[in-house]
Amino acid sequence: MITLRLAIRNVFRHRTRSVITLAAIAFGCTAIIFVGGFFEDILYRMQESYIKAHTGHLQIYTRGFFDKGSARPFSYLIDHPDDIIALVKKVPGVVSVARRLQFSGLLSTGENTVSCFGQGVEPDYEPSVRLTDRSAAGRNVALLGGAIIESGEPLNANEPYHIILGRGLAKGIDAKPGDGLILVSHTIAGSINAIDATVAGIFYTTSKAFDDYAVRLPLGTTQQLLQTESVQSLVVMLRRTSDTDRVKLTLRELFVQRHLSLEVKAWQELNDEYGKSKAFLWRMFLILKAVVATIVILSIYNTMNMAVVERTSEIGTIMALGTTRQGVWQLFLLEGATLGLIGGCLGIAIGTAITLLIRHVGIPMPPPPGASMSWISEPVIVPSVLVFSFVLSLITSLISSFFPAYQASRLSVADALRHA
Amino acid sequence: MTPLVEVAQAAKEYWLGKVRVPALKGVDLVVKRGEFLAIAGPSGSGKTTLLNLIGCIEMPTSGTVRIDQVDIATRSSDELAVIRAVKLGFIFQNFNLLPVLTALENVEYPLATRDISSRERRRHAQEALASVGLATFERHKPLELSGGQRQRVAIARAIVTQPLIILADEPTANLDHKTGQDILALMKSINQQRGTTFIFSTHDQKVMQMANRIVMLSDGQLARAA
Ligand SMILES: Nc1ncnc2c1ncn2[C@@H]1O[C@H](COP(=O)(O)OP(=O)(O)OP(=O)(O)O)[C@@H](O)[C@H]1O
Ligand SMILES: [Mg+2]
């Protein structure tokens, strides 16, 4: 007990020095807590915007489509989706199941003709937001709401020949809302078909590559153009993204039980970019952690080393009084641990406060790679990162006191006592 | 009665780089229980070195040192730490109190590893502090005490474990004459009342005269026993 008291009081003996050391630890923790929360927010936005605008949480196809469908898309259609939809909708956590039918085609204004990627969707289930519609979900609605209607109107189930164009595509053929266009495609039987359509609106998503080619139109119209009753994929939206893996497993089991030749893919599998960005960001985070750990270790080492040198005659005294070498070692380790403990607590408090403050203000961000919209990041507090930064400051403080404590315990008692 | 301290042909050498410095050159000394012994001698004569050998702080280069019949050369550093904690008490020229602890806590410190309740520890420390006349200074930090008071706290810290021997290396050298004599008188009264053996070193003639026996060190050798 007296050892603990001694350790704590020794820590506060040199106020300025201890305050500087504690500040270094707290600063390191703050950096980790903030950057962890910032990266977490970036990944979360990336994940959610992609889910809403592109993939949904899960997609269901005829078995084989995912691997071979790009070459022969119409060989893997789902012929009677209604039973499957009813089945999927019963799984807890599922919010909606939307049908999609995709094709490649040509889009013509009469003067200009460009190739395009058509996506037949159910307007009621595919989220889209008007850029002006910010009140509903705050300033970052643009990021979480799915496709963003830049001008004009979104798709409307009651207007079968109204289509919306990706921003890049619209620019390429100089199309505006209200313009009439001709959309040409192969039917699934192989002949050519075309429809007259009106541009309802221009949209964009987080993926510029998609916006440069995409046309979205109502599913019924697409089926008419391709002359089929079938669909290609079912897009499943869940209440919570964290349910993805569970629902995926349930669906798989369900399909096996019912002998349905279907496959289920989760959003992570459909979004290659997300996985890579995540790996990239966590690698950078790891480097930051290593840098912080090094700074903390050096600053505590310096403090502890000075303490041992300054207190040489005290060390001699307590050893003369019968304190063992191990006792001296423990005393200095305890001092280091006290620094780490206090620094870690301060770090958590300051890190949380600063992160929340920045979250409140928001960080204006440039568009992510491959995207076209700037946005505002709101860093979050990640509990596991809080725990990590605390454990890090404790462990690094023990590591960096280890050697000074060892040196203290190895001092010759006589020499230490003669030390002025 | 067997002697408490037996130093036989003890020599101690230091090396300063390649230069051999003989600090003690074959010292024989026997100290009996209850003695109040002064080690006198000029600066550099080896007083501190001899006290360090008796205090199990240093090992002789040759010869033997027995404390309560134990040859200290045969013990590990942890075993010596236990001997110091249980059988020996120390008083230093510079008082050597721990500055972050109060007077009472300083006195309590040597009891830290004892297997007794913290309340009992506290009571022992209070008694020791009271016996050196500092009962009202329990909460003072060393920096808030005079030199004489600090040395009294150090004496309380030395007696709190009820050691067999208290070693004091120039306990009065940093005190004025009057205070030094008071400290010596306090040591002497402890010696008489408790029977604790004291071995102390000094330059001071007056202080020396208070001893039962004086041994003179000169250039690492005992000159004569008075
Ligand atoms: N660690 C050491 N290394 C080298 N020489 C040392 C060491 N310690 C002591 N000596 C030498 O040993 C001799 C005896 O020293 P010691 O300290 O025992 O003398 P002392 O009688 O206590 O002197 P003083 O009255 O000045 O305290 C001196 O010559 C000293 O320089
Ligand atoms: Mg000396």
Side-chain angles (χ1 to χ4, degrees):
Chain A
M1 266 335 280
I2 199 143
T3 313
L4 183 63
R5 214 179 299 164
L6 200 54
I8 292 172
R9 289 201 202 150
N10 278 323
V11 164
F12 288 103
R13 188 156 158 189
H14 293 278
R15 289 269 158 78
T16 320
R17 186 158 85 207
S18 296
V19 164
I20 290 171
T21 310
L22 291 175
I25 302 172
F27 176 79
C29 289
T30 301
I32 287 178
I33 291 168
F34 166 68
V35 173
F38 179 44
F39 285 180
E40 183 76 20
D41 181 59
I42 293 176
L43 287 172
Y44 174 72
R45 311 267 181 192
M46 202 179 265
Q47 158 195 319
E48 291 300 308
S49 66
Y50 214 81
I51 287 169
K52 298 267 169 55
H54 293 284
T55 59
H57 289 100
L58 295 163
Q59 292 195 3
I60 301 166
Y61 320 103
T62 295
R63 187 173 293 282
F65 174 82
F66 190 71
D67 292 327
K68 300 175 208 139
S70 52
R72 291 181 293 138
F74 301 139
S75 308
Y76 297 94
L77 295 178
I78 302 171
D79 294 332
H80 301 289
D82 292 349
D83 297 344
I84 303 168
I85 292 173
L87 190 66
V88 175
K89 271 190 174 163
K90 279 199 210 114
V91 175
V94 172
V95 173
S96 69
V97 184
R99 296 166 295 174
R100 275 189 193 171
L101 181 57
Q102 305 182 155
F103 60 94
S104 41
L106 295 170
L107 195 61
S108 177
T109 56
E111 289 167 26
N112 276 327
T113 302
V114 293
S115 62
C116 67
F117 172 71
Q119 207 171 44
V121 300
E122 293 185 82
D124 292 345
Y125 296 128
E126 301 272 358
S128 63
V129 203
R130 257 174 282 214
L131 202 51
T132 48
D133 217 15
R134 284 173 173 238
S135 55
R139 57 190 172 181
N140 265 323
V141 62
L143 249 102
L144 298 179
I148 294 137
I149 305 298
E150 186 181 50
S151 61
E153 296 294 319
L155 288 180
N156 181 338
N158 300 324
E159 295 281 2
Y161 297 104
H162 281 191
I163 66 176
I164 56 176
L165 307 184
R167 179 197 260 176
L169 181 66
K171 210 173 198 170
I173 56 170
D174 203 14
K176 295 177 296 298
D179 289 357
L181 294 173
I182 300 165
L183 186 55
V184 184
S185 172
H186 285 285
T187 67
I188 65 165
S191 57
I192 300 278
N193 198 3
I195 54 166
D196 286 319
T198 306
V199 178
I202 313 291
F203 75 91
Y204 64 91
T205 68
T206 44
S207 167
K208 184 166 180 300
F210 182 78
D211 301 344
D212 284 347
Y213 288 99
V215 177
R216 275 187 174 167
L217 60 160
L219 179 73
T221 315
T222 314
Q223 285 174 326
Q224 189 189 329
L225 178 67
L226 303 187
Q227 293 178 351
T228 178
E229 300 280 287
S230 308
V231 301
Q232 210 162 37
S233 55
L234 300 176
V235 178
V236 182
M237 286 291 200
L238 304 179
R239 186 161 296 119
R240 281 190 306 267
T241 305
S242 55
D243 286 342
T244 305
D245 292 338
R246 178 180 64 76
V247 175
K248 182 180 167 182
L249 265 177
T250 314
L251 289 179
R252 275 217 180 129
E253 278 167 23
L254 218 55
F255 295 158
V256 171
Q257 269 171 27
R258 307 267 166 135
H259 305 291
L260 294 168
S261 180
L262 297 171
E263 60 188 6
V264 188
K265 294 286 170 190
W267 59 270
Q268 301 98 315
E269 301 166 89
L270 302 168
N271 184 355
D272 186 40
E273 236 168 70
Y274 175 82
K276 285 180 181 157
S277 306
K278 184 169 180 172
F280 176 73
L281 289 181
W282 290 127
R283 191 63 52 87
M284 299 216 315
F285 193 35
L286 190 70
I287 292 171
L288 176 82
K289 287 173 182 170
V291 170
V292 166
T294 310
I295 292 173
V296 171
I297 285 178
L298 289 179
S299 88
I300 299 181
Y301 177 82
N302 181 46
T303 302
M304 294 305 297
N305 211 33
M306 281 166 83
V308 170
V309 172
E310 284 169 358
R311 292 195 351 240
T312 299
S313 98
E314 262 175 61
I315 296 165
T317 305
I318 62 171
M319 283 172 103
L321 296 182
T323 302
T324 56
R325 299 197 178 278
Q326 199 193 345
V328 172
W329 189 69
Q330 280 169 356
L331 173 66
F332 281 91
L333 273 195
L334 209 55
E335 283 190 39
T338 306
L339 277 173
L341 193 79
I342 300 173
C345 290
L346 280 176
I348 285 188
I350 297 173
T352 304
I354 288 184
T355 306
L356 288 178
L357 184 73
I358 295 175
R359 176 181 173 77
H360 183 72
V361 176
I363 309 171
M365 297 290 293
S372 52
M373 60 181 135
S374 44
W375 55 289
I376 293 168
S377 174
E378 293 167 335
V380 290
I381 300 296
V382 187
S384 64
V385 172
L386 289 186
V387 173
F388 175 87
S389 65
F390 186 72
V391 171
L392 183 81
S393 54
L394 259 191
I395 290 180
T396 50
S397 64
L398 283 178
I399 290 175
S400 45
S401 336
F402 195 90
F403 189 61
Y406 177 77
Q407 279 183 317
S409 75
R410 291 284 107 193
L411 286 175
S412 135
V413 185
D415 289 348
L417 281 173
R418 285 183 201 264
H419 202 271
Chain B
M1 201 162 69
T2 50
L4 208 46
V5 177
E6 279 181 277
V7 179
Q9 280 304 303
K12 179 73 186 176
E13 290 168 0
Y14 294 104
W15 287 91
L16 276 179
K18 291 192 171 162
V19 184
R20 194 170 65 100
V21 183
L24 288 179
K25 305 167 182 171
V27 171
D28 290 301
L29 177 68
V30 172
V31 183
K32 291 201 275 300
R33 223 170 266 265
E35 279 203 75
F36 197 68
L37 173 71
I39 299 174
S43 183
S45 59
K47 303 184 294 295
T48 299
T49 308
L50 180 56
L51 281 171
N52 281 351
L53 294 185
I54 299 170
C56 306
I57 281 170
E58 283 183 289
M59 293 297 116
T61 314
S62 64
T64 54
V65 176
R66 287 175 195 275
I67 304 300
D68 201 17
Q69 316 203 56
V70 173
D71 180 353
I72 65 170
T74 63
R75 300 297 144 127
S76 71
S77 88
D78 279 0
E79 286 167 335
L80 293 175
V82 172
I83 293 177
R84 290 196 296 268
V86 174
K87 297 189 176 173
L88 304 177
F90 289 88
I91 299 168
F92 305 92
Q93 177 177 344
N94 297 317
F95 324 128
N96 290 24
L97 299 176
L98 299 176
V100 294
L101 299 183
T102 64
L104 186 65
E105 287 165 343
N106 264 290
V107 177
E108 231 181 292
Y109 185 85
L111 297 172
T113 52
R114 295 288 161 96
D115 199 14
I116 52 175
S117 72
S118 62
R119 179 185 290 178
E120 220 174 324
R121 234 189 307 249
R122 173 135 305 196
R123 191 171 55 76
H124 285 309
Q126 282 169 333
E127 280 171 11
L129 208 51
S131 73
V132 299
L134 289 178
T136 54
F137 291 85
E138 284 183 3
R139 289 168 183 285
H140 287 237
K141 293 271 176 72
L143 280 176
E144 299 156 6
L145 297 170
S146 71
Q149 288 171 327
R150 287 183 215 177
Q151 198 61 303
R152 282 169 188 270
V153 174
I155 291 171
R157 179 175 69 178
I159 62 175
V160 75
T161 57
Q162 301 188 302
L164 296 174
I165 313 166
I166 290 177
L167 300 164
D169 191 7
E170 311 213 27
T172 59
N174 274 347
L175 300 171
D176 63 62
H177 200 75
K178 166 80 175 62
T179 314
Q181 285 197 330
D182 290 348
I183 289 294
L184 243 286
L186 176 62
M187 285 164 55
K188 181 112 194 191
S189 76
I190 292 166
N191 166 256
Q192 280 164 353
Q193 282 165 22
R194 305 189 180 212
T196 312
T197 308
F198 276 80
I199 305 174
F200 61 95
S201 68
T202 183
H203 289 302
D204 187 327
Q205 282 295 334
K206 282 244 173 65
V207 165
M208 233 177 283
Q209 298 316 320
M210 298 177 76
N212 312 135
R213 177 156 75 108
I214 303 169
V215 293
M216 290 295 290
L217 262 180
S218 161
D219 199 17
Q221 286 174 311
L222 280 189
R224 67 187 153 86

